[in-house]
Amino acid sequence: MQVPELPVYGVAIPTVSGMRLVLDELGAAQGQRRVMWFNMREEPVIYINGNPYVVREANKPFANLEYTGIDRSRVEDMENRLKQDVLREAAQYYNQILVAHENDDFQVIEQWEAVTEVDVQTPLEVYRELSDYGYEVEYTRVPVTDEKAPKEKDFALLMRRLWKPPEGAALIFNCQMGRGRTSTGMIIASLLQLRRPLKTVDLPTEPQEGLPSWFVGTSPPAGSSPMRTTSDVTLEGELKSGKYGVVRSLLRVLEGGTASKALLDSVIDACK
């Protein structure tokens, strides 16, 4: 998924072959274009034969294990230890490891995967290998709990990395499904991309040079919900337009709060 007319992209957790396809599509091979890839998952991930796996509770195979508050270094340390655990267990079973998949009927199925040491990688090792192969990719881990906002320090990290990216760089975000945490990253990146050509916090009333054609107050992105107005008087309409009590309170104390919310709503619609 791409934000229209911006170099901002979102994907679900990719396989290694999927990463290569994305990087090839974006022109990152042989130094043709820089790609900044942000992994927003807080769950430790391990790649086995090019496919991503995470640890789950045996009786809750579809529920993420939450590590709220965990930092990047700890997640990557857990991934290193998980890799060693996989290799030790595989050595006990003739270089095989039992993994679980989900089929098209949402049923968990188990199967044995033959592995050697080179077949088990952490995400950091995967991206370093891609870089060694000539792909211009910079990898950043930003661990965020699903359905939660980034921690202050992680938000600050995103701001630093996205404030002035290399000219022409593609900005890619992934989480598990490519929806919640991915969208959060895409929205932050899009707002920072728009800040340079945008002169005020008011949405322009007609397309302007240097800004996406959808970024106007009267013409939302194709396929998105129209800009909400005060005519939405039902409770459902109020909530759908983001008019929660806490948001209303915030708008009253922020200078230009209403205009800023309209700008943010437009970007959120573009990231759907």
Side-chain angles (χ1 to χ4, degrees):
M1 176 175 65
Q2 179 184 4
V3 180
E5 302 171 56
L6 291 178
V8 179
Y9 305 82
V11 297
I13 183 71
T15 63
V16 174
S17 61
M19 292 178 197
R20 289 177 176 271
L21 287 172
V22 170
L23 293 172
D24 286 337
E25 181 68 22
L26 294 176
Q30 306 305 319
Q32 298 174 36
R33 185 185 188 187
R34 180 71 61 84
V35 170
M36 300 176 68
W37 197 305
F38 297 84
N39 181 348
M40 308 289 283
R41 296 193 75 169
E42 71 169 359
E43 315 91 79
V45 178
I46 198 74
Y47 279 85
I48 300 175
N49 291 324
N51 294 311
Y53 294 90
V54 296
V55 176
R56 296 283 173 85
E57 296 284 357
N59 61 338
K60 297 179 180 179
F62 299 110
N64 288 333
L65 295 179
E66 292 192 0
Y67 303 87
T68 304
I70 197 169
D71 61 28
R72 171 185 175 180
S73 62
R74 187 177 171 206
V75 173
E76 293 181 341
D77 180 61
M78 292 172 70
E79 288 169 341
N80 287 326
R81 286 187 281 120
L82 180 57
K83 173 182 176 177
Q84 298 307 315
D85 289 343
V86 168
L87 292 173
R88 277 194 295 268
E89 185 167 329
Q92 299 175 24
Y93 295 97
Y94 307 100
N95 292 324
Q96 296 182 98
I97 188 73
L98 185 64
V99 298
H101 294 277
E102 179 184 339
N103 64 18
D104 293 338
D105 296 320
F106 303 104
Q107 299 296 315
V108 175
I109 55 175
E110 297 179 339
Q111 71 178 49
W112 289 93
E113 288 274 352
V115 297
T116 63
E117 187 168 358
V118 297
D119 301 319
V120 184
Q121 297 175 288
T122 66
L124 183 58
E125 289 174 333
V126 170
Y127 286 95
R128 283 177 174 171
E129 185 175 75
L130 289 169
S131 181
D132 291 341
Y133 282 140
Y135 288 101
E136 282 289 321
V137 57
E138 295 181 19
Y139 172 70
T140 302
R141 185 65 167 269
V142 187
V144 178
T145 304
D146 197 19
E147 305 296 336
K148 302 286 180 64
K151 302 181 294 296
E152 183 177 346
K153 62 182 179 181
D154 292 327
F155 188 83
L157 172 62
L158 287 169
M159 291 287 290
R160 288 196 303 271
R161 300 286 288 134
L162 295 169
W163 187 259
K164 192 175 181 181
E167 186 71 26
L171 312 175
I172 305 180
F173 299 84
N174 85 263
C175 55
Q176 178 185 353
M177 302 296 291
R179 298 183 301 184
R181 293 168 285 186
T182 293
S183 295
T184 298
M186 294 173 67
I187 290 165
I188 294 170
S190 297
L191 287 169
L192 293 177
Q193 285 283 308
L194 294 169
R195 87 179 198 284
R196 287 184 288 273
L198 191 63
K199 304 303 181 185
T200 70
V201 296
D202 295 310
L203 274 172
T205 57
E206 58 185 29
Q208 294 186 6
E209 184 178 356
L211 291 171
S213 60
W214 52 262
F215 194 63
V216 291
T218 57
S219 179
S224 68
S225 302
M227 293 296 294
R228 280 70 171 186
T229 68
T230 54
S231 63
D232 290 321
V233 294
T234 66
L235 176 60
E236 182 180 3
E238 294 281 293
L239 296 180
K240 283 184 176 179
S241 62
K243 296 177 182 177
Y244 299 93
V246 66
V247 174
R248 289 179 179 275
S249 298
L250 186 61
L251 296 183
R252 285 196 292 269
V253 299
L254 287 178
E255 182 179 354
T258 300
S260 297
K261 181 180 181 300
L263 185 153
L264 175 60
D265 284 342
S266 182
V267 172
I268 290 173
D269 282 344
C271 291
K272 288 182 178 178

